Amino acid sequence: MKTRMFLFLAAATLLLAAGCRSIPLPEGVIPAEKMTQTPARPEQVEPLRRLAASGDPDGTFRYGLQLLFAENSRQPVEKPEFPNGVPFGIRPENWSPADLWIARAAQLGSPEAKYYTAAARQAVLERRQMLKLVKEAAEAGVAPALNRLGTYYYFGMGVEVDNAEAVRLFAAAARQGHPAALHNLAVCLMNGSGIAADEAAAVRLLRMAAFRGTEQSRRNLEWCYRTGLGVEVDRSKAFYWKDINRIPPAGTEELFPADKVEELDLQVELP
């Protein structure tokens, strides 16, 4: 009964991480390492615009991200040219300037832009196009793309089901501290999907994901501590994790040890 309940809860998040629901991905569709917290000042945007105009892939992607912050601005923004033809079968008149610049960055080879385009515009891309972009971004080591591709292999979305490959991809993203990948790897460990079952290791990964804000990990931690799945029954800790909207306050990591991501290979035998 414990495992069946965990399977039900965990599968919901794997679906969510794959983008199959209307709820946003845990990490959003913009790679966190490239996203600025506030719009850049005009004097900061201009160098990015010049980089984009010169055809620099990373500069073009970062310029597109900055335009996302200014989409409600009334100031007109020029759209990019596509010397090699409009990619992905898109219709420029239906895309915002920000998305067009990011699509241009993807055409130029930016792996982060490829992932963003696949994740943000999946409704208008053909499945084979989306899968190709995600695979190329994953091959370049983009953590959200590794996690998303893992869900494709887990569920057989456009590819054959391969749980071992899903685990490999989740592990690669988890080593970068990606919250959803940490959770999804925990699911595989808890259920023995593509890797030998290890409930205790799964709980450690759930704590890592929970401290990074993954809601489903907090739900499952509450269940684990309440039922003794992978840990000793501890109703106080179960009560702590029951409030899924609670963000663990600073300092509580010592009460609920969240093992360091770089120590994963020491604790779990990963592919």
Side-chain angles (χ1 to χ4, degrees):
M1 178 62 73
K2 294 177 184 177
T3 303
R4 282 199 297 272
M5 176 62 75
F6 196 93
L7 266 166
F8 171 78
L9 293 176
T13 292
L14 276 164
L15 280 167
L16 183 150
C20 296
R21 299 191 171 193
S22 59
I23 304 172
L25 295 171
E27 80 288 357
V29 294
I30 302 174
E33 65 274 13
K34 292 289 183 181
M35 184 176 178
T36 54
Q37 296 301 310
T38 57
R41 297 187 298 273
E43 63 269 25
Q44 295 173 310
V45 174
E46 181 57 25
L48 291 177
R49 189 195 68 77
R50 290 197 296 268
L51 277 175
S54 73
D56 178 80
D58 185 63
T60 303
F61 175 61
R62 289 187 289 133
Y63 179 58
L65 289 186
Q66 283 301 328
L67 293 180
L68 287 176
F69 290 109
E71 281 189 340
N72 294 326
S73 171
R74 296 181 181 180
Q75 188 173 4
V77 177
E78 62 180 324
K79 294 183 178 182
E81 295 181 358
F82 294 93
N84 300 324
V86 180
F88 321 126
I90 64 177
R91 300 178 62 181
E93 64 271 18
N94 295 334
W95 285 40
S96 72
D99 281 338
L100 286 172
W101 278 105
I102 293 173
R104 173 63 179 146
Q107 186 186 53
L108 290 168
S110 165
E112 292 91 348
K114 290 178 180 179
Y115 171 72
Y116 174 90
T117 299
R121 309 299 298 184
Q122 58 184 330
V124 297
L125 294 176
E126 293 182 4
R127 173 165 288 194
R128 62 179 179 82
Q129 293 174 325
M130 184 173 67
L131 182 61
K132 180 176 183 291
L133 289 170
V134 172
K135 280 186 173 181
E136 290 176 356
E139 288 169 359
V142 178
L146 287 163
N147 177 66
R148 181 179 287 255
L149 187 58
T151 64
Y152 292 170
Y153 278 102
Y154 191 94
F155 289 108
M157 299 171 60
V159 294
E160 293 294 325
V161 171
D162 188 336
N163 286 342
E165 179 65 5
V167 168
R168 186 188 71 81
L169 292 162
F170 291 148
R175 290 189 183 100
Q176 298 184 46
H178 189 273
L182 287 163
H183 175 90
N184 290 339
L185 183 57
V187 172
C188 294
L189 280 165
M190 186 65 75
N191 298 321
S193 300
I195 191 172
D198 188 333
E199 294 179 356
V203 171
R204 289 198 299 269
L205 289 170
L206 285 175
R207 283 198 297 262
M208 291 186 202
F211 280 111
R212 287 164 173 78
T214 305
E215 175 182 319
Q216 195 66 53
S217 292
R218 295 198 291 271
R219 289 176 183 258
N220 282 335
L221 279 172
E222 186 269 334
W223 173 260
C224 289
Y225 280 115
R226 182 157 56 87
T227 63
L229 187 60
V231 289
E232 295 293 329
V233 171
D234 189 323
R235 297 195 179 281
S236 64
K237 291 183 179 180
F239 179 79
Y240 179 88
W241 291 111
K242 186 174 183 178
D243 183 357
I244 62 172
N245 295 315
R246 174 183 295 173
I247 301 298
T252 54
E253 291 90 341
E254 294 181 2
L255 300 177
F256 306 93
D259 300 322
K260 296 179 180 179
V261 173
E262 55 266 28
E263 295 175 356
L264 275 173
D265 288 331
L266 302 178
Q267 300 163 1
V268 183
E269 186 176 345
L270 298 175

